[in-house]
Amino acid sequence: TMALVNVNNMLVLDNPTNFTNPFSFEITFECLQELDDDLEWRVLYVGKAADSTSDLVLDEILVGPVPVGVNKFVLQADAPDPKQLEELLGVTVVLVTCSYRDREFVRVGYYVNNEYTGYNPDEEGAKPPPNPLDLKLVTRQILADKPRVTKFAIPWGDENEKPTGADTATHANMTTMAGGEKAASGEPEPEPEPEQMEEEEEEEEEEEEPEGDEAEEEDLVADE
């Protein structure tokens, strides 16, 4: 089934910033035909790479009715509660997902690097930061240059078909990122253009072929 909604571009706003500030993403997407139901957007924070049950849902909103054409909006989500994190400093992943009728069809993941001002864990003899941390000195940087985009083929019109385990499959893909060398650098990179987005197509269990359409480049014009 051809995807009726394609994400054309996603920009990370207010980056880098203090750990306690909200996440903010400017999302541009195209709707190809009228939808009967709303789109559900979620922001998730990977609390522990090896355990998907520790993922924190930072926010979830319903967007609709969605006009046909190109749409743009800003999705904001509060920072995670430090008390719910086993490790606050270091590298992890933040995910932005979109679902239709409880079926996730696209997921965008970014590396996140949290650093404590004046502390370099690679420096020999470095004095560890205080416990508890002074959150005013924790900087969050999202490495926005190469988002990981995963698409899922879903039925857009048949309410009787059951969703598959897309969450479990993609969590394994995204948390693999958390150990990457790229994330460890913590150096700022330019914002991504649509053609820079890496895409990984995944098929559902009962689909013979994965959804293979890439989002076409469009002018980033908001459709109020």
Side-chain angles (χ1 to χ4, degrees), residues 44-56 84-95 107 110-112 167-180 183:
L44 299 96
Y45 191 88
V46 177
K48 187 176 181 181
D51 181 11
S52 62
T53 61
S54 67
D55 290 0
L56 304 179
Q84 295 182 278
L85 302 176
E86 288 189 13
E87 295 183 5
L88 189 150
L89 299 180
V91 177
T92 186
V93 171
V94 65
L95 306 169
R107 171 174 292 207
Y110 293 94
Y111 293 121
V112 179
D167 283 352
T168 302
T170 308
H171 184 271
N173 291 337
M174 289 308 310
T175 54
T176 302
M177 295 171 57

Side-chain angles (χ1 to χ4, degrees), residues 203-220:
E203 61 181 24
E204 291 193 317
E205 292 175 1
E206 297 180 3
E207 292 288 331
E208 291 183 2
E209 295 182 0
E211 184 69 19
D213 297 330
E214 293 186 0
E216 297 180 359
E217 292 186 29
E218 299 283 349
D219 293 332
L220 304 184

Side-chain angles (χ1 to χ4, degrees), residues 1 17 22 28 46 108 113 127 135 143 146 181 192 200 218:
T1 305
T17 189
T28 304
V46 177
V108 182
N113 192 27
K127 183 179 179 181
L135 296 181
L143 306 185
K146 291 183 179 179
E181 296 179 0
E200 177 180 317
E218 299 283 349

Side-chain angles (χ1 to χ4, degrees), residues 42 52 95 97-99 102-107 150-154 162-174 202-205:
R42 296 201 303 168
S52 62
L95 306 169
T97 74
C98 191
S99 302
D102 296 323
R103 298 176 175 96
E104 182 180 318
F105 63 89
V106 66
R107 171 174 292 207
T150 306
K151 292 183 178 181
F152 303 95
I154 68 167
K162 296 181 180 180
T164 65
D167 283 352
T168 302
T170 308
H171 184 271
N173 291 337
M174 289 308 310
E202 292 206 7
E203 61 181 24
E204 291 193 317
E205 292 175 1

Side-chain angles (χ1 to χ4, degrees), residues 11-48:
L11 297 178
V12 180
L13 307 178
D14 189 25
N15 182 52
T17 189
N18 183 263
F19 176 84
T20 59
N21 289 341
F23 287 87
S24 186
F25 303 92
E26 183 185 88
I27 301 172
T28 304
F29 68 95
E30 182 179 16
C31 183
L32 300 182
Q33 71 180 50
E34 186 175 346
L35 301 176
D36 294 331
D37 292 292
D38 295 342
L39 297 175
E40 182 183 17
W41 294 87
R42 296 201 303 168
V43 180
L44 299 96
Y45 191 88
V46 177
K48 187 176 181 181

